[in-house]
Amino acid sequence: MVDVVIIGGGVVGCMIARELSRYQLKTVLLEKEDDVASGTSKANSAIIHAGYDAKPGTLKAKLNVRGNPLFDKICSELDVPFKRIGSLVVALNEEEVKVLEELLQRGKTNGVPGLEIINREKLMEMEPNISREARAALYAPTAGIVCPYELTIALAENASRNGVEIKLNSPVLSIGVENGEVLAVRTPGETIYTRYVVNAAGLFADEISRMAGAEDYRITPRKGEYLIFDRRFGGIVNTAIFPTPTKISKGILVCPTVDGNFFIGPNSNDVREKDDVAVTQQGIEEIIKSARKLVPELPLKHVIASFAGLRAVSNTDDFVIGASKKVKGFINVGGIQSPGLSSAPAIAEMVVGILKEEGLELKEKSDYNPERPQIFKFRRLSCQEKRELIRRNPAYGRVICRCETVTEGEIIDAIRRPVGARSLDAVKRRTRAGMGRCQGGFCSPRVVEILARELGIDPLEVTKCGSGSEILRGRTKEFIETGGVTGAK
């Protein structure tokens, strides 16, 4: 019997898990994939929004503004890079300037500090590569950027160190309810008896809610496609640059990343399938055309990757957060689209408050530790620090990923840490091995070798992202001997 089962290992689920790990509770987090941050949390714009865009009075507005200032402390405790670079909403004509004025007033109503509309001259000073058609911009100095999957992983690690049990490859098959109260959660491997279930299942939150007989709302997947550029050109913009927003999207932006790249995107298209993350030629053309309206001179020859992510859009047009009125002990945390990442710390606070109201007894631990042990990132160390680290552990002297200067020591550490990497993509998200110009062309075979050695498995069992995505099909000599290679003699 456990106290709380959290369904979903995205940034919101892991933020809730960490918040609950402060208390004397038995908490279990279930994630259906082979790693946390495998859904929306690994593919989004990575912006901590200031909070001017959401409609006043909504949960989006309240939780965004509350969550934004919490990131400095959280990221410091977890050793996660976070930069308050500010954001700009750019008006290209006089009609769009009127939209800026509306956003300014909305932001003030929401309680966003420091907002101001800047003129063309100030804008050009801040962003020399901005379009010459720009007339003005709404400047929000409290906006920031973070790595969403690195944050999610850090939250999971810290929650695990503080006693939360994190179970990967654990899809929920059913939720037992008895006399109108939560009883148990069943996965392929076990039945977990629990008093409370927190539904943070992202795109599948509506299905989990219906599974429990709780509230019936609908989640529509909304796809956004991105292009990311080589780090050599990361300085093309200094802030997160948005166009004036539409009713369904904040628009296609141009934005730096905390790792020194920059990206353009996303577009916004509702899709039918909750696993449709295909990048399309039409989508690429759309985001290039729109991004050029903001920054005309994009170095398109230096795009190193394209990807797509899905937002979980509810039919309520707001976050769906609250205790079920149909099933006692069931808490919905659904429809967490933008500004979900920005709101995540405040969502976690809110959910813990709801659990307390529903009868969960909260006694603080005396040994709770909010900090994650330092993660050594070789590329960011001074020469002296590198020499000392290699002296202590020679594995840090063997560079595996040349593009991102990732060492064997970093990869081993990523595998051995709590909620450690078990696949090629999991190593990539923790170390950036495979995220550079060659996109893993050089380092992937070495990473497979290290994973197999560290996990004590056959290299043929190493996967890209869980069962069914094995990297290797067989051994070359065996293929030749059995005729597995066409034309082999």
Side-chain angles (χ1 to χ4, degrees), residues 38 94 117-118 134 144 158 177 182-183 207 209-210 239-240 248 265 275 277 283 323 406 408 448:
S38 291
E94 292 307 315
I117 293 178
I118 60 174
N158 186 245
V177 176
V182 165
L183 176 67
E207 298 176 32
S209 188
R210 288 194 291 275
T239 57
I248 65 167
D275 60 355
V277 290
V406 178
E408 183 175 359
V448 168

Side-chain angles (χ1 to χ4, degrees), residues 187-216:
T187 71
E190 62 185 324
T191 298
I192 305 171
Y193 291 89
T194 181
R195 297 168 57 208
Y196 298 93
V197 169
V198 175
N199 172 21
L203 290 160
F204 300 91
D206 56 342
E207 298 176 32
I208 294 294
S209 188
R210 288 194 291 275
M211 184 187 291
E215 280 64 23
D216 185 11

Side-chain angles (χ1 to χ4, degrees), residues 6 149 235 324 387:
I6 301 167
Y149 46 85
S324 172
R387 285 193 294 268

Side-chain angles (χ1 to χ4, degrees), residues 83 166 282:
K83 300 177 181 179
I166 296 178
Q282 181 180 357

Side-chain angles (χ1 to χ4, degrees), residues 293-307:
K293 293 178 182 178
L294 295 173
V295 180
E297 300 300 323
L298 295 172
L300 294 174
K301 291 183 179 179
H302 299 280
V303 171
I304 61 171
S306 60
F307 66 94

